[in-house]
Amino acid sequence: MGEHVNKEELILSSVRVRFAPSPTGPFHIGGARSALFNWLFARRYGGTFIVRIEDTDMERSTRESEENILAALRWLGMDWDEGVEVGGPHGPYRQTERLDIYREYVEQLLQKGCAYRCYCTEEELAAARDALLKKGEMPRYLGRCRSLSPEERVRLEAAGRKPVIRFRVPENRVINVNDLVRGDVSFECNGIGDFIILKSDGIPTYNFAVVVDDHLMSVSHVIRAEEHLPNTPRQILLYDALGWSPPEFAHVSLILGKDRSKMSKRHGATAVEQYQAKGYLPEALDNFLALLGWSPGGEEEILTMEALKQQFSLERVAKSPAVFDLDKLNWLNGHYIRQAPLGEITDLAIPYLEKAGYISTPLSEQKYAWVKMVVDAVREYLTCLSEITDHVAFFFADVVEAEEKEAKEVLAGEQVPAVLAALREKVAGGGEWTQADAKSVLKGAGKETGAKGKQVFMPVRVALTGSTHGPDLSQVMVILGKDKICSRLDRALKMIAGK
Ligand code: GLU
């Protein structure tokens, strides 16, 4: 089956894939992965990527959720060639706007005898289900309304019963699915039971609408989560009954938490927007999601969207479940934070700094340039941008206090007053300065007092930042500026002198 994805000439013009979310809640990371695999597959083979909204669950679907999903797709860098908002020749792309289309095909199935009206009530169905369960059998519809006579139908309708339409599942058939990820999978029709394709309110069920849409939209490959594998035989039966040939199927494995149970809220954030809010970069999330079930040929773990687009293939999608490893996501995000253009990272960091009360926007040009230096100094410590507020307090504070035991001990050193005083002397006098200037005054203070290396850097660091660790000291000194340095040194000297 691998040949379907290998023969590029064959595939170039014909790959049409879709992402078909149900807009019923937060956009799950698993949904984003399905979308990404489809998008990458389309881009890799010069195909078409479609976004279709499956909103037939009218109670749970909302426009707000749809908009969130679309915004998240865009944020992740995915564009679509056909679908909601962008349109296309196979629209409409929202299922609730296609109800007439579904009814037409339901009618066809009714006429062919492949579907029938079922008048069973909820209570009757529940009783039948219980009876099966009691016998230890799998609950399924046993075909009570399969062969109602026209008179019986009239009687039931006169009694006010509104029918659903069920698909007549052929008996004793085996459906083989040749899945591009899972390989050959077989299903016995007898276990399926006649399933509903149109509800009594005229709304199609998922299994029916998905088949009609995938066919009419000429979808060539259905790439979706493994949880839909059991739906596939139903869908194949519908393709058959409608006289259509089914697309290729590729069911991508579940995403598991580190404890190897299905990824859920108790494993941490599951919604894309939560990661966005924490300050994960779309590049990092894309890279991470791509590796959840797919792997490139080599050892490379850092893959930009451009690289992914060139390398993605269904052949390298693993059959085994993918484990969601937050440490890996953090590592990737840290990488992308460090290598992104500083201006971009600054712009993304500003909202977090503002929310924490460090700055208020709009920033003057000068203040923006200063904030940029702060971001430059601390970005190497960040796994996500929201963490920036944990690293910058001393840049913004009026005064700093050595609170950690270790920091206090540093200031108690014998040579400290002399070192700080010598430095104070050398820094005095206004004006801009560079890291090289800062380095040279530190050196000068050392020379003058006979203190070396750490004996200089540590007390200066503690006096200026309140802590024994942090960004490069000369960088800190440039960002703080001479005035702040002098006042902090003065304060430290006073404190040491017990004043
Ligand atoms: N609306 C379905 C879902 O969100 C789509 C399944 C499919 O891709 O066929 O799970």
Side-chain angles (χ1 to χ4, degrees):
M1 218 56 187
E3 67 187 305
H4 284 274
V5 281
N6 272 338
K7 284 190 185 157
E8 280 183 38
E9 340 68 269
L10 179 114
I11 249 170
L12 269 174
S13 58
S14 58
V15 163
R16 289 180 56 86
V17 288
R18 83 307 191 271
F19 176 56
S22 303
T24 53
F27 188 30
H28 194 277
I29 213 88
R33 188 210 29 191
S34 292
L36 183 65
F37 280 20
N38 277 286
W39 185 84
L40 289 173
F41 188 66
R43 295 296 170 256
R44 165 81 161 85
Y45 295 104
T48 302
F49 178 58
I50 306 165
V51 173
R52 179 175 75 225
I53 297 294
E54 302 206 326
D55 58 348
T56 53
D57 183 344
M58 314 269 254
E59 257 163 48
R60 293 172 59 228
S61 298
T62 64
R63 268 305 165 96
E64 190 198 349
S65 162
E66 176 184 323
E67 277 155 22
N68 278 346
I69 293 170
L70 299 179
L73 291 177
R74 291 203 172 93
W75 177 70
L76 288 166
M78 289 178 242
D79 53 348
W80 49 103
D81 313 298
E82 282 179 36
V84 280
E85 295 189 351
V86 306
H90 304 279
Y93 292 92
R94 198 175 281 113
Q95 289 188 325
T96 50
E97 292 166 21
R98 300 172 61 80
L99 299 180
D100 291 344
I101 303 176
Y102 306 125
R103 275 180 213 138
E104 192 187 320
Y105 292 102
V106 166
E107 206 47 53
Q108 271 192 24
L109 290 179
L110 282 169
Q111 268 164 29
K112 285 188 191 170
C114 297
Y116 61 89
R117 291 183 174 77
C118 164
Y119 296 88
C120 293
T121 61
E122 287 294 328
E123 295 75 39
E124 287 164 349
L125 293 171
R129 206 168 28 239
D130 287 349
L132 279 175
L133 282 173
K134 258 194 206 127
K135 282 198 277 177
E137 283 186 43
M138 202 161 60
R140 62 197 188 279
Y141 185 70
L142 288 180
R144 191 161 174 248
C145 296
R146 259 189 170 200
S147 35
L148 291 179
S149 66
E151 296 75 37
E152 279 171 307
R153 277 186 21 212
V154 169
R155 187 179 54 78
L156 287 161
E157 277 180 30
R161 293 209 186 180
K162 281 214 151 47
V164 298
I165 313 292
R166 284 188 189 270
F167 180 74
R168 196 186 295 273
V169 175
E171 276 161 50
N172 303 326
R173 238 182 90 179
V174 175
I175 306 289
N176 296 309
V177 184
N178 191 248
D179 191 278
L180 295 179
V181 174
R182 322 219 76 78
D184 287 327
V185 194
S186 305
F187 297 87
E188 303 265 353
C189 277
N190 290 359
I192 295 180
D194 295 350
F195 54 92
I196 299 175
I197 56 174
L198 195 76
K199 292 184 274 183
S200 57
D201 56 5
I203 307 295
T205 56
Y206 156 70
N207 276 313
F208 185 67
V210 80
V211 166
V212 172
D213 289 350
D214 284 343
H215 172 75
L216 294 182
M217 295 178 186
S218 302
V219 167
S220 61
H221 296 73
V222 166
I223 305 169
R224 63 186 170 196
E226 189 184 358
E227 63 193 4
H228 287 293
L229 187 61
N231 286 321
T232 310
R234 290 174 174 79
Q235 294 171 16
I236 289 179
L237 287 170
L238 286 167
Y239 279 103
D240 258 18
L242 288 160
W244 300 335
S245 50
E248 299 287 349
F249 291 99
H251 287 92
V252 183
S253 299
L254 288 177
I255 301 178
L256 305 182
K258 261 197 160 167
D259 62 357
R260 304 216 127 233
S261 68
K262 192 177 167 196
M263 172 84 180
S264 71
K265 283 184 187 147
R266 90 200 144 71
H267 294 106
T270 54
V272 173
E273 60 191 315
Q274 289 172 288
Y275 288 94
Q276 187 177 6
K278 279 191 183 164
Y280 285 88
L281 302 185
E283 298 85 337
L285 211 51
D286 281 324
N287 192 156
F288 178 71
L289 290 174
L291 296 176
L292 274 181
W294 173 82
S295 62
E299 294 291 298
E300 193 54 70
E301 298 236 80
I302 306 266
L303 293 143
T304 61
M305 278 290 248
E306 211 37 58
L308 291 169
K309 255 159 67 173
Q310 283 164 21
Q311 296 181 35
F312 185 81
S313 76
L314 288 175
E315 284 141 86
R316 301 203 60 86
V317 172
K319 219 170 169 175
S320 51
V323 176
F324 188 99
D325 179 355
L326 187 60
D327 294 334
K328 182 163 171 183
L329 174 58
N330 285 338
W331 172 74
L332 283 169
N333 204 49
H335 164 82
Y336 284 100
I337 288 177
R338 285 191 296 280
Q339 64 91 58
L342 182 57
E344 255 170 50
I345 290 300
T346 304
D347 295 344
L348 292 172
I350 281 173
Y352 299 101
L353 296 173
E354 182 162 32
K355 194 156 172 250
Y358 287 123
I359 54 174
S360 57
T361 56
L363 299 175
S364 68
E365 212 173 293
Q366 201 186 359
K367 184 78 187 234
Y368 178 80
W370 184 79
V371 170
K372 210 165 157 179
M373 292 199 285
V374 171
V375 173
D376 189 31
V378 301
R379 69 163 148 175
E380 66 179 290
Y381 303 110
L382 310 180
T383 55
C384 58
L385 287 170
S386 58
E387 287 173 1
I388 194 167
T389 55
D390 301 337
H391 298 271
V392 297
F394 68 89
F395 285 118
F396 294 92
D398 291 327
V399 290
V400 294
E401 215 71 65
E403 269 159 17
E404 308 149 25
K405 186 166 162 263
E406 216 188 333
K408 285 183 183 157
E409 278 168 14
V410 166
L411 288 188
E414 205 182 313
Q415 280 175 308
V416 171
V419 170
L420 297 186
L423 184 70
R424 168 72 175 87
E425 193 105 320
K426 294 188 188 308
V427 174
E432 296 277 309
W433 66 337
T434 63
Q435 266 181 260
D437 300 333
K439 277 183 188 149
S440 105
V441 293
L442 284 167
K443 212 170 170 187
K447 237 185 190 164
E448 202 175 297
T449 55
K452 285 201 183 79
K454 266 191 158 186
Q455 294 172 321
V456 179
F457 298 134
M458 279 307 234
V460 173
R461 179 180 286 288
V462 172
L464 298 184
T465 71
S467 171
T468 51
H469 46 262
D472 179 87
L473 187 56
S474 60
Q475 202 176 0
V476 168
M477 289 168 79
V478 172
I479 298 170
L480 286 177
K482 291 184 177 176
D483 290 347
K484 264 198 178 161
I485 293 175
C486 289
S487 65
R488 289 184 189 189
L489 290 174
D490 287 344
R491 191 159 185 279
L493 283 164
K494 265 194 203 158
M495 227 195 55
I496 295 165
K499 285 186 205 154

